[in-house]
Amino acid sequence: MDLKLGTYFVYLAVSVVLTVWVARTLLKNGQVFLDDALTDERLAKSVNHLLVVGFYLLNLGYVAVALKIGQQLPDGSSAMEALASKLGLVLLVLGGLHFFNLFVLSRFRRRRMLDQLPPPVPPARMMPAPYPPPTPYGMSPRPAAPHGYPKPTVQPVPQQAVPRQETQHDEPLPPQ
């Protein structure tokens, strides 16, 4: 058996073992995360199984596509370098898919957690608007308009009186 064929066998064996080990670990330990993210245990089990099947298909498909070694392997050290390069790519693909799944599932979980939050608390009191109104974005007032056009004017917005509510830290309101 030549060196290239032996490298193929080692690459396939190690890649398949790594893929199966990572998939089983994700199946076992990912169930708790999916239960929390999806809140329905039956749905979480089904999604977990589908994710593992997709994981196998993607990784074993990548292993098969990346099998070919395009260079000559004259000695054992070049065979080990080629094998390490191929296995390193398989590990990067495994890790990338794992983090992509975590990202997508964390988005589901975050959305569910936001839906469960209580509504925001209304403000205790309102502050009156400053007069005159500030210029937008801290800009200075406009200079006179060129070419005889009139300078635009800003009309103040009438303020409505908002009754002040007494809180624990305020002094009592005077009788009206």
Side-chain angles (χ1 to χ4, degrees), residues 144-152:
H147 308 293
Y149 291 112
K151 181 178 174 184

Side-chain angles (χ1 to χ4, degrees), residues 1-13 67 69 73 75-76 78-84 86:
M1 175 166 68
D2 70 352
L3 205 50
K4 200 175 222 182
L5 187 61
T7 305
Y8 285 152
F9 283 135
V10 171
Y11 167 71
L12 283 174
L67 177 67
I69 299 173
L73 303 176
D75 57 356
S78 61
M80 284 302 288
E81 289 171 0
L83 181 62
K86 295 289 185 183

Side-chain angles (χ1 to χ4, degrees), residues 51 58 94-107:
L51 283 172
L58 280 171
L94 285 170
L97 287 173
H98 172 66
F99 282 117
F100 176 73
N101 283 338
L102 283 178
F103 172 75
V104 170
L105 292 172
S106 68
R107 299 288 291 190

Side-chain angles (χ1 to χ4, degrees), residues 103-125:
F103 172 75
V104 170
L105 292 172
S106 68
R107 299 288 291 190
F108 280 123
R109 183 175 183 270
R110 185 180 314 145
R111 188 172 299 139
R112 185 183 61 78
M113 297 297 274
L114 285 175
D115 290 342
Q116 291 178 351
L117 286 176
V121 177
R125 71 173 83 165

